[in-house]
Amino acid sequence: MRVGNQRILIVGGGIGGTAAAIALRKAGLESAVYEARTRRGTQYGGCYVLWYAGVLSLGRLGVAEKAYARGHKLERLEMCDAHGRVLNHVEMGKRGRMLGATPVAIRRADLLNILYEELGEDDFHLKSTFRGMSQDSRGVTATFTDGREERAAVLVGADGLQSRVRSHLHGLKPARYPGYAHWSGIAETDAGAPAGVFRILHGKGARFAFFHLGDGRVCWWCVRNASEGSDGDNLGGYQALTMFLHDWEPTARALLAATPPTAIFRRDTFDRPPLRQWGQGRVTLLGDAAHAMTFDLGQGAGTSLTDAVTLADHLAEGSGAISALRAYERARRSVTLPLVVASRQVGAAAAWSGPLGPKANAAVLRSIGAKITPQLLERDARSHASLSVMQ
């Protein structure tokens, strides 16, 4: 089925765009994905922790069990000081089962491959770089850098942090760099890391976290205050991290030692100011294009998946494309806006590097963190009745 005898055009074939195509197909709506890259897949070997709503959304897409099979279920989040003393914890597995979805850790490449396998290759167009668009009362026309034009009833910008669709709607503005850089790796052994535990160590202006991936390997990441770009690279090299972590919990050093130095990657984090309205007319945004947030609450991928499911639900109601898009935006903005703000605040607090930094951060984790974090991470799952509960 088409919307107004026309299909839905999705710009961007990452997690959010691919999930949207799957969700629309399951809702009986026809769509096509246009991706700028030359092949499907990812060049970034990072990992995700998908919380409750993200896993519920995978269930709606029909791939939750595949994610569990390729990933690792998590039972407990521990927020600790640099020496491993637990300051606060969340029984994420127990809470997840109450909500219908146990959180899962998974490699980004594995999650993308699961979504690609589910969608298939039909109507997934590579080498398709979006250039611009125009719309009228009956549809929207997208143009691409190779001269092609495609007509659709709706255009969805799912093209990430540097979204061209967002720039076309709202102007080209730089993303905000928060002042800290993110290095990550995958240890080839578990190095004593406990299974089922997502542990975050907090030091002076720095964090180190780790969790199992389900194949005997452990994903870890380290965050340090650093300049944007190559100026801060010297802080994340193998030797630099080894020296920096010399008096942290021994598991951190063991995981670093179990990671090939050439397999440690830097990936800076950014966010953007929230938009009052994501889209205009027959055009909307999804995922990072709509609500880019820092990684500090780990909600980027999960919110993109839930955006996809919610968008399909609203378009399938048949109330008209434009009204459906605005209803989708209202529903998702009410949930993602607090996450964007909270992610920025958590990152800023963790980056405190003055004499009172670690003590102040510990106080925040013991008090505010114990109440606010679980509520924020459960809200997305509780606020959408459209997410079917998986037992």
Side-chain angles (χ1 to χ4, degrees), residues 185-387:
I186 297 177
E188 296 180 343
T189 65
D190 65 24
V197 176
F198 178 13
R199 183 174 294 167
I200 307 176
L201 310 175
H202 292 75
K204 187 176 181 179
R207 286 164 284 170
F208 189 98
F210 52 88
F211 45 82
H212 275 250
L213 291 173
D215 56 2
R217 297 185 296 171
V218 174
C219 181
W220 61 265
W221 51 256
C222 182
V223 175
R224 300 181 66 181
N225 294 343
S227 301
E228 181 180 356
S230 59
D231 289 344
D233 280 352
N234 62 319
L235 298 176
Y238 185 80
Q239 293 299 328
L241 288 177
T242 299
M243 293 177 62
F244 180 73
L245 297 169
H246 77 277
D247 60 349
W248 285 50
E249 180 188 345
T251 307
R253 301 193 302 275
L255 288 170
L256 181 62
T259 305
T262 56
I264 298 173
F265 301 98
R266 174 175 177 170
R267 183 170 182 255
D268 287 347
T269 186
F270 297 88
D271 66 9
R272 290 187 181 277
L275 295 167
R276 290 183 177 274
Q277 181 170 304
W278 294 355
Q280 298 172 13
R282 293 175 174 270
V283 181
T284 192
L285 302 174
L286 183 150
D288 282 351
H291 47 72
M293 61 188 78
T294 61
F295 77 96
D296 297 282
L297 288 179
Q299 295 300 293
T303 53
S304 295
L305 292 168
T306 309
D307 287 353
V309 170
T310 307
L311 174 65
D313 285 344
H314 281 283
L315 285 171
E317 288 176 355
S319 58
I322 295 176
S323 61
L325 294 183
R326 301 294 87 80
Y328 149 73
E329 293 169 3
R330 288 191 297 271
R332 293 304 297 150
R333 189 177 182 277
S334 67
V335 175
T336 58
L337 175 59
L339 292 173
V340 172
V341 174
S343 293
R344 179 179 292 196
Q345 293 173 339
V346 168
W352 291 336
S353 57
L356 297 179
K359 292 183 179 179
N361 200 15
V364 170
L365 290 172
R366 288 196 187 99
S367 56
I368 299 175
K371 296 180 180 179
I372 302 300
T373 300
Q375 292 177 7
L376 281 172
L377 300 184
E378 291 178 19
R379 184 183 179 193
D380 206 358
R382 293 188 181 280
S383 63
H384 293 282
S386 64
L387 292 175

Side-chain angles (χ1 to χ4, degrees), residues 6-234:
Q6 296 183 79
R7 61 183 176 176
I8 298 160
L9 192 155
I10 301 167
V11 176
I15 288 171
T18 306
I22 297 170
L24 289 165
R25 185 178 65 192
K26 289 184 176 293
L29 299 173
E30 184 178 340
S31 67
V33 178
Y34 292 82
E35 167 58 45
R37 291 172 299 172
T38 59
R39 62 183 181 86
R40 300 205 300 188
T42 177
Q43 296 179 345
Y44 170 60
C47 310
Y48 293 134
V49 171
L50 295 177
W51 287 75
Y52 317 120
V55 176
L56 287 169
S57 298
L58 289 179
R60 284 287 306 278
L61 300 176
V63 297
E65 292 306 318
K66 290 182 179 179
Y68 282 138
R70 298 191 196 181
H72 183 74
K73 290 185 178 182
L74 295 174
E75 291 292 331
R76 180 181 172 95
L77 167 66
E78 295 180 348
M79 292 168 277
C80 309
D81 65 15
H83 306 295
R85 183 167 58 102
V86 178
L87 303 172
N88 184 27
H89 73 277
V90 176
E91 297 295 342
M92 55 198 300
K94 179 180 179 180
R95 299 298 301 171
R97 284 185 287 277
M98 293 175 62
L99 293 165
T102 304
V104 62
I106 189 169
R107 292 175 64 243
R108 183 174 187 268
D110 288 337
L111 178 59
L112 272 171
N113 286 334
I114 288 170
L115 295 174
Y116 290 150
E117 290 165 7
E118 180 67 21
L119 179 62
E121 297 184 1
D122 294 343
D123 290 322
F124 193 107
H125 305 277
L126 296 166
K127 302 178 183 179
S128 302
T129 301
F130 176 82
R131 181 172 64 188
M133 62 190 178
S134 61
Q135 56 179 313
D136 53 41
S137 61
R138 293 185 293 180
V140 56
T141 301
T143 58
F144 297 87
T145 55
D146 62 1
R148 277 180 298 158
E149 292 188 353
E150 297 289 345
R151 184 75 171 167
V154 166
L155 188 148
V156 180
D159 47 342
L161 176 72
Q162 304 296 344
S163 169
R164 293 191 174 201
V165 178
R166 176 178 173 135
S167 295
H168 190 89
L169 292 172
H170 303 289
L172 181 62
K173 301 174 183 177
R176 185 192 73 99
Y177 178 68
Y180 47 87
H182 175 278
W183 289 271
S184 64
I186 297 177
E188 296 180 343
T189 65
D190 65 24
V197 176
F198 178 13
R199 183 174 294 167
I200 307 176
L201 310 175
H202 292 75
K204 187 176 181 179
R207 286 164 284 170
F208 189 98
F210 52 88
F211 45 82
H212 275 250
L213 291 173
D215 56 2
R217 297 185 296 171
V218 174
C219 181
W220 61 265
W221 51 256
C222 182
V223 175
R224 300 181 66 181
N225 294 343
S227 301
E228 181 180 356
S230 59
D231 289 344
D233 280 352
N234 62 319

